Amino acid sequence: MARVFNFSAGPSCLPEDVLKECAAEMLDYQGSGQSVMEMSHRSKNYEPIIQDAEAMVRKLMNVPDNYKVLFVQGGGSTQFAMVAQNLGIKNKKAAYIETGVWAKKAAAEAKHLGIDVDIIASSKDKNYSYIPKVEKITGDYDYAYICFNNTIMGTHYEYIPDTGNIPLVADISSCVLSEPLDVTKFGLLFAGAQKNLAPAGVTLVIIREDLIPEVDACLPGTPTMLAYKTHADNGSMYNTPPCYTIYVLDKVLHWIEKNGGAEGMLKRNKEKADYLYNYLDNNEGNFYHATAEVGSRSLMNVPFLTKYSDHAADDEVAAAKEKEINDAFVKAASAAGLVNLKGHRLVGGMRASIYNAMTLEGVKALVEFMKDFAKKN
């Protein structure tokens, strides 16, 4: 069977070149007679892999020497707790900008751990369809927190809030290395790998060294494994790391480098996103429309609705018609080799996630399908 165009929000598509390299080395990694899946994480064969992965992160993201690069487990959701447990230790107070599900969950987790959470801005009033403008954050906060790209809502920060001496924390799971980012503007960055870097299983953390507390200085009750110092002091190998996922991540990083680094990814991603948004904003009869507002639109995640959604909220007949059209779209798209386009329930409609590995060819195929579907419906 031919490969499909996979628009999943995560786990997402990986570069075909990387998949082929992994397949070629599956049974025998560089003459070792074994798969990376089978290696001891402390072996001479594996150590260069994780060391190179860190070096590539530093190179591609221009990570300064006073930041640690960590590979941890538990996904972005575990970071919601780790951030609070490690950074919220002085005043036990933090500022959060609420721009969707993941920022909201992160704030709830911090509050659960006893942090005084201040929601300093929110886009809830318009179903999180835009990014609030908060140019400067002041106060006695231990840290300020944002979700830089909102996978579900399809929004993205086009600015970085000025937090002064307050460490800025950002969840960059769905936009990591999709564009250049000034690491020095942040105290901590984290990214679940399964959208732009690797299969699910590893989370990248980049943290300024002076923000790493001693294990016993974290919030009371913090497990050893949830202290950043545990991982920083042990080269991300306090316990067995997700070895194979890190191996794939390293290959993806080299693929990004070959394709122009973060700058090359931005050019590639902007071309894809512009092509899709241009169609959504100018399609005949306004059959489709994007849900995110101009000025806050993600290059990675593009939710869209059909004209049948306009009255669905207060009209049962319209709601039934909308569901019928959405289901038909997703089913027909899948049959055409365009998979995982169903939108999240909080937005409805459809969503095309067009991460680094998605090709312009795939986006063009989607638009052609959308044109044909609109004519028939």
Side-chain angles (χ1 to χ4, degrees):
M1 179 180 177
R3 280 181 59 79
V4 298
F5 291 114
N6 179 12
F7 294 93
S8 172
S12 59
C13 58
L14 289 165
E16 284 195 22
D17 289 350
V18 169
L19 293 173
K20 289 175 181 176
E21 284 183 38
C22 294
E25 294 177 341
M26 178 58 74
L27 295 178
D28 181 8
Y29 174 72
Q30 296 187 358
S32 67
Q34 58 188 314
S35 172
V36 175
M37 283 188 179
E38 305 168 295
M39 288 179 183
S40 164
H41 59 298
R42 303 198 187 280
S43 67
K44 290 182 179 180
N45 287 314
Y46 186 74
E47 284 184 3
I49 295 174
I50 193 168
Q51 289 168 0
D52 189 66
E54 177 181 341
M56 287 302 296
V57 169
R58 290 187 176 278
K59 181 178 182 181
L60 292 172
M61 296 185 71
N62 295 313
V63 180
D65 291 341
N66 64 323
Y67 283 73
K68 289 287 187 181
V69 173
L70 311 175
F71 301 112
V72 300
Q73 301 178 58
S77 295
T78 298
Q79 289 306 303
F80 300 163
M82 286 184 74
V83 166
Q85 290 168 317
N86 287 260
L87 271 61
I89 57 177
K90 184 179 179 182
N91 299 315
K92 295 183 173 57
K93 186 176 180 181
Y96 281 71
I97 300 178
E98 187 184 83
T99 51
V101 170
W102 303 116
K104 188 175 181 179
K105 286 188 174 184
E109 188 75 357
K111 189 174 182 180
H112 175 72
L113 290 165
I115 302 297
D116 180 7
V117 172
D118 189 0
I119 305 298
I120 60 172
S122 173
S123 51
K124 186 179 181 180
D125 61 322
K126 293 185 179 180
N127 197 31
Y128 304 114
S129 61
Y130 69 99
I131 298 294
K133 194 70 173 178
V134 184
E135 294 184 354
K136 191 169 183 64
I137 301 174
T138 60
D140 59 343
Y141 301 115
D142 290 330
Y143 63 91
Y145 184 104
I146 62 174
C147 182
F148 210 65
N149 188 84
N150 296 279
T151 319
I152 292 173
M153 305 303 177
T155 58
H156 177 74
Y157 278 79
E158 294 194 356
Y159 73 100
I160 299 174
D162 177 4
T163 59
N165 292 325
I166 303 168
L168 179 60
V169 176
D171 176 354
I172 58 169
S173 294
S174 52
C175 63
V176 59
L177 278 170
S178 65
E179 60 185 339
L181 190 63
D182 185 352
V183 172
T184 66
K185 299 287 187 182
F186 303 86
L188 187 153
L189 295 163
F190 71 84
Q194 68 273 14
K195 302 174 188 294
N196 247 351
L197 294 178
V202 68
T203 303
L204 171 67
V205 174
I206 301 172
I207 181 171
R208 211 172 66 213
E209 289 181 352
D210 64 293
L211 297 177
I212 302 175
E214 295 296 327
V215 175
D216 59 4
C218 294
L219 289 184
T222 297
T224 302
M225 278 294 290
L226 296 187
Y228 289 123
K229 189 166 180 60
T230 299
H231 304 282
D233 287 353
N234 291 279
S236 298
M237 291 204 285
Y238 176 77
N239 69 329
T240 306
C243 298
Y244 194 79
T245 307
I246 293 170
Y247 155 79
V248 180
L249 180 146
D250 187 41
K251 288 192 176 296
V252 171
L253 295 175
H254 281 280
W255 176 85
I256 290 173
E257 182 182 42
K258 289 176 186 175
N259 286 275
E263 293 81 4
M265 290 298 104
L266 176 59
K267 182 179 178 182
R268 173 190 178 98
N269 293 327
K270 197 170 187 313
E271 184 178 18
K272 291 181 296 181
D274 285 350
Y275 193 92
L276 181 51
Y277 282 122
N278 183 59
Y279 175 68
L280 287 169
D281 292 340
N282 300 286
N283 64 95
E284 188 176 349
N286 295 316
F287 187 86
Y288 306 101
H289 59 275
T291 62
E293 294 184 8
V294 174
S296 295
R297 288 178 169 179
S298 170
L299 299 183
M300 298 284 93
N301 311 100
V302 186
F304 59 93
L305 305 173
T306 71
K307 63 181 180 180
Y308 295 102
S309 67
D310 294 343
H311 305 289
D314 52 14
D315 186 324
E316 289 186 9
V317 175
K321 182 62 176 177
E322 180 197 26
K323 184 179 185 308
E324 178 187 336
I325 287 292
N326 292 347
D327 290 348
F329 182 101
V330 172
K331 183 178 180 180
S334 183
L338 309 165
V339 302
N340 294 315
L341 281 161
K342 184 176 181 179
H344 192 278
R345 67 183 183 281
L346 294 178
V347 179
M350 282 64 66
R351 174 177 54 178
S353 292
I354 51 176
Y355 298 119
N356 286 350
M358 175 56 65
T359 61
L360 180 60
E361 178 190 5
V363 174
K364 287 183 174 180
L366 172 60
V367 169
E368 289 306 307
F369 171 82
M370 292 169 71
K371 290 177 181 177
D372 184 62
F373 186 85
K375 287 178 183 177
K376 294 175 180 177
N377 293 273

